Amino acid sequence: MSNKKQLQKLELTWIGKGEEPKLEPRILIENPEYSYGDPNSPNMLIHGDNLLALKALEQDYAGKVKCIYIDPPYNTGNAFEHYDDGVEHSLWLSLMHSRLTHLQKLLANDGTILVQLDDNEIAYCRVMMDEIFGRQNFINQVSVKMKQTAGASGGGEDKKLKKNIEYILIYAKNITKFESFNPVYDETDLFEVINEMRDAGKSWKYTRVLNGINEREFLKDTVDGSGEVIKIYRHNNITYQTIPELMKKDNLTEEECYVKYFDKIFRDTNAQSSIRTRVMEATEGLGDFFSIDYVPRSGRNKNKMTTVYYKGNNRDQIAWLSDICVKKRNRLVKLEKAGTYWDGFPLNNLTKEGGVKFPNGKKPELLIKKVLDLTTNENDLVLDSFAGSGTTAAVAHKMNRNWITVELGEHAKTHCYPRFKKIIKNEDKAGITKDVNWQGGGGFKFYTLAPSLLKQDKFGNWVISQEYNADMLAAAMAKQEGFKYQPHESSYWKQGQSSEQDFIFTTTQFLTLEALDSIKDEMQPGETLLICCKSFQKECKGKFGNITIKKIPLMLLGRCEYGKEDYSLNIINMPEEDNNEDADDSIEEISVQAIRDKNKSDDQTSLF
């Protein structure tokens, strides 16, 4: 035995861990009755078990999703009346582990996943995500104010502190590929900030007003480190006044003075940069106040024409109050870079968002907007596999992101479908509609999961489901074997391919030697073919080295679980009670729909 010390793996364990289901890779079938808008839209609303849906998406979307946001069941302790907390906890952990494992595969290398929970499971989920995503890929844990604080607290919380915070875990797929969050800012009343600084004995430096910057004369050109032109201008009529001087002169309060002169209030900054050094060299002895026009190669104004001002012998850079604040009527709001505490989301009128009611589960559109502002850009792909009322997809649509969302319950038709339809028709005026100036447009396709490919007949034999027509069977077999289903325009036997010269053909007909010879005659040098059929003439077997023949369903048996439509929960080998020798130790299956309902309160014509 090795003398090396054996290191134990740090992980979370629970009843049933390690018994992950072998999922059947289902095909997705469009239901045009519930598709709407642009027929070429990539957006997808999937109605079905979300674990099977994630598996169905894997072939085409592995490594392509930029942002995953999920708001899964919170495991409140009231969903399973006949089981104690320990059993219920294991059920929830198994549900989440299998889904997070498949979500990890779909996430892009530079993507992020955000999981929102309350304090029932957040700590356990973080340990589990450390295991699945890697602890090194943890980015942040955000606290979100989600409950109103006014009024009495019900639900037996008189023995505990009132819950008004939820949490969001943020992980990268690969922290070395994750660049940074997009710049997102929180708003705080400017004078709250100023007063807090004064109370803390700190100096507030935006205290002067600058006039005369609009009058300037071109002085000369210089270049930046890349050889790009920097145009330098000289200002000759600059004047300065302090806020106290203007308060006295105009008979204004401090707040009124800041509002009136907002666009002209500044401070000096001694920020070091190569641009500043070049300006100092180019303007030495030529004046006291200068401005430059140039295009930065990095930073907030990357690739945008930008004007920067410099003053004094040291060429101190001017920093404007308007760079860190915005003016909202007669109120000034300071912009603070987003941190790990989020609040300010409108909860009183939340039921009106989207035009659908979803008690106790709907998230504010502004919250999801903040998530997507941080983690995505236009046309990025967003995924939510716990759709509920469809808030994530609704916000993604208004923000011009592509989206995929999954919902097992009838909410897919009663909530998500009408909500998305209103957005496309520009009839949804609530939520973030005005904030992002949404004008309508776009579309989505409604998909359902195909039934299981194999079912048992009355004798217990596995047979191909009668619900599969020839096209569905060909698509399903292509996915089962790792081929992209792409029927060729002229070669009937080229139904899908895994590489440029590797094809698959599925048929329910008896494969004869004559038919095989005919296919072989059409094949080009270097091409290979997998034929899947129910039966074939024995002389066909092994006749051609570049053609492989397999029988269905025999070729599929043992690969995965067939005949199962619901993976809400699947716990293996539940523990027996010590005082019950006859306890059943068979597979226990309990639906998590009760959790989902509490917390979130056939024209089949095309295949995916």
Side-chain angles (χ1 to χ4, degrees):
M1 186 173 178
S2 172
N3 291 326
K4 291 184 178 179
K5 185 177 180 180
Q6 297 297 314
L7 296 178
Q8 284 185 300
K9 183 179 180 182
L10 180 63
E11 62 177 322
L12 184 66
T13 61
W14 61 89
I15 301 165
K17 184 180 181 182
E19 301 291 342
E20 299 292 337
K22 295 181 179 179
L23 298 175
E24 177 186 357
R26 304 286 183 92
I27 58 172
L28 296 170
I29 304 173
E30 185 188 0
N31 184 343
E33 180 183 355
Y34 289 97
S35 296
Y36 191 81
D38 181 2
N40 297 315
S41 171
N43 300 326
M44 303 172 68
L45 168 56
I46 302 173
H47 184 204
D49 180 274
N50 63 4
L51 187 57
L52 285 171
L54 294 176
K55 181 65 176 178
L57 292 167
E58 196 172 293
Q59 184 182 54
D60 294 299
Y61 290 95
K64 295 184 179 179
V65 180
K66 186 63 181 290
C67 173
I68 297 171
Y69 169 85
I70 59 173
D71 171 30
Y74 284 5
N75 200 14
T76 60
N78 298 314
F80 300 99
E81 296 179 0
H82 306 295
Y83 293 86
D84 63 24
D85 287 344
V87 174
E88 179 182 318
H89 183 57
S90 287
L91 293 171
W92 188 89
L93 290 169
S94 288
L95 178 149
M96 289 302 299
H97 189 274
S98 54
R99 283 152 179 79
L100 288 169
T101 298
H102 285 276
L103 288 168
Q104 195 267 353
K105 297 176 184 177
L106 294 171
L107 196 60
N109 273 338
D110 61 347
T112 49
I113 180 171
L114 299 94
V115 180
Q116 182 158 347
L117 294 165
D118 67 6
D119 59 4
N120 283 292
E121 298 288 359
I122 188 69
Y124 300 96
C125 187
R126 178 165 175 179
V127 176
M128 184 162 51
M129 292 186 73
D130 281 349
E131 181 182 339
I132 295 170
F133 288 87
R135 188 173 181 180
Q136 73 279 6
N137 290 315
F138 171 76
I139 301 176
N140 281 118
Q141 178 172 313
V142 173
S143 299
V144 186
K145 183 178 179 183
M146 290 298 299
K147 301 292 183 185
Q148 299 293 340
T149 56
S153 174
E157 289 191 357
D158 53 309
K159 295 183 180 180
K160 301 179 181 180
L161 297 176
K162 181 179 178 65
K163 293 184 180 182
N164 54 15
I165 295 292
E166 293 181 7
Y167 306 92
I168 300 177
L169 293 171
I170 309 177
Y171 280 75
K173 172 69 171 284
N174 184 339
I175 198 67
T176 64
K177 300 295 183 181
F178 171 74
E179 294 184 359
S180 66
F181 290 123
N182 294 327
V184 172
Y185 299 91
D186 295 327
E187 297 182 355
T188 306
D189 185 89
L190 175 64
F191 289 95
E192 288 184 16
V193 176
I194 293 175
N195 291 331
E196 286 177 3
M197 291 183 67
R198 287 171 176 167
D199 290 344
K202 297 180 181 179
S203 174
W204 172 252
K205 299 185 181 299
Y206 291 90
T207 58
R208 287 182 290 170
V209 172
L210 188 152
N211 291 296
I213 62 171
N214 293 329
E215 300 176 19
R216 64 178 186 172
E217 61 173 322
F218 176 70
L219 185 63
K220 62 168 68 173
D221 286 339
T222 187
V223 294
D224 63 17
S226 300
E228 299 295 326
V229 172
I230 301 174
K231 292 191 172 296
I232 302 178
Y233 298 84
R234 180 166 52 198
H235 298 250
N236 298 314
N237 298 310
I238 295 295
T239 61
Y240 308 97
Q241 292 175 287
T242 67
I243 292 293
E245 289 173 347
L246 290 169
M247 289 168 59
K248 184 176 181 179
K249 172 178 173 293
D250 296 344
N251 193 27
L252 298 173
T253 66
E254 185 178 37
E255 291 188 21
E256 290 171 338
C257 194
Y258 268 90
V259 170
K260 179 177 180 179
Y261 293 101
F262 171 67
D263 294 329
K264 298 178 180 180
I265 298 173
F266 76 101
R267 60 164 289 190
D268 299 347
T269 176
N270 196 25
Q272 301 297 319
S273 71
S274 61
I275 298 294
R276 179 184 172 213
T277 300
R278 291 173 184 273
V279 171
M280 291 179 68
E281 293 172 350
T283 60
E284 185 176 0
L286 297 180
D288 185 62
F289 197 101
F290 302 89
S291 62
I292 64 169
D293 289 346
Y294 81 115
V295 179
R297 301 305 164 197
S298 61
R300 185 174 63 178
N301 294 320
K302 180 179 179 180
N303 297 328
K304 297 178 181 178
M305 181 60 70
T306 303
T307 301
V308 179
Y309 299 88
Y310 299 93
K311 66 178 286 290
N313 293 330
N314 294 326
R315 302 298 184 254
D316 292 332
Q317 186 174 325
I318 297 295
W320 299 102
L321 180 63
S322 57
D323 288 337
I324 63 166
C325 288
V326 292
K327 185 176 182 180
K328 294 190 171 182
R329 296 183 180 178
N330 291 324
R331 177 171 173 255
L332 299 184
V333 176
K334 189 173 186 296
L335 301 178
E336 300 276 1
K337 194 169 183 180
T340 55
Y341 175 72
W342 298 358
D343 65 359
F345 304 114
L347 301 175
N348 291 328
N349 297 317
L350 190 55
T351 55
K352 296 180 180 179
E353 289 193 353
V356 293
K357 294 183 178 179
F358 205 67
N360 302 322
K362 188 188 289 185
K363 293 295 181 284
E365 288 195 10
L366 272 176
L367 168 61
I368 307 303
K369 179 181 182 296
K370 190 164 188 172
V371 166
L372 299 188
D373 277 334
L374 273 174
T375 60
T376 66
N377 297 306
E378 287 194 2
N379 300 315
D380 282 342
L381 179 59
V382 177
L383 169 64
D384 182 355
S385 55
F386 292 89
S389 64
T391 302
T392 302
V395 173
H397 199 103
K398 293 178 184 179
M399 294 178 67
N400 296 311
R401 273 66 168 167
N402 299 323
W403 53 265
I404 300 172
T405 196
V406 186
E407 178 53 48
L408 172 63
E410 284 303 304
H411 315 309
K413 293 180 179 178
T414 61
H415 289 63
C416 298
Y417 167 72
R419 183 174 190 173
F420 302 158
K421 186 176 178 180
K422 284 182 179 179
I423 292 171
I424 292 166
K425 295 171 69 176
N426 199 26
E427 294 177 352
D428 179 5
K429 304 302 181 183
I432 66 164
T433 298
K434 291 182 179 179
D435 294 338
V436 299
N437 192 31
W438 174 249
Q439 300 294 322
F444 65 93
K445 293 180 181 177
F446 187 101
Y447 289 94
T448 57
L449 286 161
S452 182
L453 177 57
L454 301 185
K455 293 186 177 180
Q456 286 182 304
D457 63 17
K458 61 181 180 179
F459 303 107
N461 299 313
W462 288 101
V463 296
I464 298 172
S465 171
Q466 294 182 351
E467 297 178 73
Y468 276 72
N469 59 33
D471 288 337
M472 290 172 63
L473 179 61
M477 290 306 303
K479 180 162 279 192
Q480 290 272 355
E481 296 296 315
F483 288 74
K484 177 72 173 178
Y485 180 62
Q486 291 177 323
H488 195 272
E489 293 181 0
S490 56
S491 297
Y492 70 92
W493 52 271
K494 290 183 176 180
Q495 295 173 337
Q497 58 188 109
S498 62
S499 65
E500 188 174 344
Q501 293 186 299
D502 190 20
F503 300 92
I504 188 173
F505 172 50
T506 299
T507 178
T508 56
Q509 302 294 317
F510 178 75
L511 182 65
T512 65
L513 190 59
E514 181 181 3
L516 185 64
D517 288 338
S518 176
I519 291 174
K520 172 62 178 173
D521 289 342
E522 291 187 24
M523 294 179 68
Q524 300 298 313
E527 290 184 340
T528 58
L529 177 65
L530 169 62
I531 299 179
C532 305
C533 60
K534 288 185 176 181
S535 57
F536 55 88
Q537 193 174 339
K538 64 179 181 179
E539 289 81 5
C540 295
K541 189 74 172 179
K543 182 174 183 184
F544 301 110
N546 60 342
I547 299 179
T548 301
I549 303 173
K550 293 183 180 181
K551 290 181 69 171
I552 46 177
L554 184 63
M555 61 183 289
L556 300 173
L557 297 181
R559 270 190 204 179
C560 51
E561 292 181 330
Y562 293 98
K564 186 162 183 177
E565 304 297 337
D566 185 357
Y567 283 90
S568 295
L569 287 172
N570 183 10
I571 298 301
I572 308 298
N573 296 329
M574 299 295 291
E576 298 180 5
E577 294 289 344
D578 292 340
N579 59 354
N580 184 2
E581 296 179 359
D582 297 323
D584 182 5
D585 64 350
S586 61
I587 295 176
E588 298 285 347
E589 296 182 1
I590 304 169
S591 174
V592 78
Q593 191 61 43
I595 289 182
R596 183 178 292 113
D597 289 342
K598 177 172 180 61
N599 288 283
K600 286 184 173 293
S601 255
D602 266 358
D603 259 349
Q604 297 176 339
T605 58
S606 63
L607 307 177
F608 185 85

